[in-house]
Amino acid sequence: MLVAGNWKMNTDLTAARQLASAVVSAVGATSGVDVAVCPPYVSLDAVFSAVHGSTIRVGAQDMHAEDSGAFTGAISAPMLRSVGCHYVILGHSERREYFGETDASVNAKVHKAIAAKLVPIVCVGERLEDRDAGVQNDVVSAQLKKGLEDVSSAWPSGLVVAYEPVWAIGTGRTASPEQAEAMHGHIRGLLVDQFGEEIGRHIFILYGGSVKPGNAAELFSRNDVDGGLIGGAALSAEDFAAIVRAAEGV
Ligand code: PEP
């Protein structure tokens, strides 16, 4: 199980330090659950220091597909490694919607992240109109196939997939446990097809979309739901810790 908090564009440096320290205290020692926090770039270094000595790892919310060069405003995988990042979220629906992220750019980033020994958390998920049209499986299949194209099972670091139905992110609407389980089973099949039984069965598939302390246990208890990518609730150390405990209880 993995529970990762996506702080999005929230917290300045002071608030990020405070939240990271509060998360360390509230989460405490964990058993059987990996925990990560993903603050804004400018706070990665400080948050890495704040969680140092705990089991909590740090991730970034995006990266550029090149290692260095004339890409004003961009941050590369080696830079993320240099400030202690273990994970990087790639292809979040907000990056797709507001910043022109495509499956092809996600794929380029996945390869670079793996080469830099970062663990990519690759986000996929359908829009409401896709689900209403009953094509959610096709949409997610295409995103995953293109996003993970030419990724071989010989990666040096690891890989995480996050299923985040766009209509459930930040809306208070959650996929029902049945909807989540069905899609996670579909994603599992795709991962097994690409990477084989041994590896495909062990890749964490996170659910994301309005996960809260009150619904986490039910979602996490479902087949192939290996934890959560948490947005809004990750900004409260108590709520985030409660979600981690829900994962531990599964
Ligand atoms: C997210 O941003 O990845 C997310 C799941 O957000 P929320 O939990 O707020 O829906």
Side-chain angles (χ1 to χ4, degrees):
M1 299 288 275
L2 166 66
V3 176
N6 173 13
W7 295 1
K8 310 193 186 193
M9 196 174 71
N10 296 295
T11 65
D12 63 10
L13 182 60
T14 304
R17 274 202 188 102
Q18 284 167 351
L19 180 56
S21 299
V23 167
V24 169
S25 308
V27 167
T30 54
S31 77
V33 180
D34 297 333
V35 180
V37 290
C38 305
Y41 288 136
V42 294
S43 300
L44 284 167
D45 189 27
V47 167
F48 181 68
S49 298
V51 302
H52 191 71
S54 78
T55 55
I56 296 171
R57 290 185 168 127
V58 175
Q61 299 172 18
D62 185 37
M63 54 172 253
H64 196 273
E66 296 297 332
D67 285 347
S68 62
F71 301 101
T72 301
I75 301 288
S76 71
M79 292 174 190
L80 297 181
R81 285 290 295 173
S82 77
V83 290
C85 280
H86 183 84
Y87 297 100
V88 60
I89 299 170
L90 295 177
H92 191 281
S93 64
E94 289 154 13
R95 299 295 313 175
R96 294 176 190 261
E97 181 164 355
Y98 305 130
F99 300 94
E101 191 83 75
T102 64
D103 293 325
S105 59
V106 171
N107 182 249
K109 293 178 182 187
V110 168
H111 283 279
K112 279 291 183 181
I114 289 171
K117 296 192 168 55
L118 287 164
V119 180
I121 301 176
V122 180
C123 300
V124 294
E126 82 284 359
R127 293 158 179 273
L128 188 56
E129 54 264 38
D130 301 324
R131 182 158 283 270
D132 287 344
V135 295
Q136 65 271 14
N137 285 12
D138 299 336
V139 169
V140 167
S141 295
Q143 288 174 333
L144 206 61
K145 280 186 184 149
K146 290 182 202 156
L148 298 184
E149 199 172 303
D150 294 331
V151 175
S152 81
S153 51
W155 63 74
S157 49
L159 172 69
V160 175
V161 173
Y163 169 56
E164 301 205 306
V166 178
W167 47 272
I169 296 181
T171 59
R173 271 184 74 174
T174 316
S176 70
E178 292 73 24
Q179 287 171 322
E181 183 168 346
M183 182 59 83
H184 282 233
H186 175 66
I187 292 171
R188 179 71 69 206
L190 296 169
L191 294 173
V192 167
D193 283 350
Q194 180 164 355
F195 300 112
E197 281 284 333
E198 182 68 18
I199 290 170
R201 294 242 166 255
H202 289 97
I203 296 171
F204 284 155
I205 307 173
L206 311 184
Y207 172 78
S210 300
V211 177
K212 308 280 178 225
N215 59 20
E218 171 66 8
L219 286 160
F220 295 166
S221 69
R222 294 300 176 128
N223 284 335
D224 293 314
V225 180
D226 305 312
L229 183 55
I230 317 301
L235 295 173
S236 154
E238 289 68 33
D239 285 357
F240 187 66
I243 293 169
V244 172
R245 283 193 291 277
E248 281 183 308
V250 170

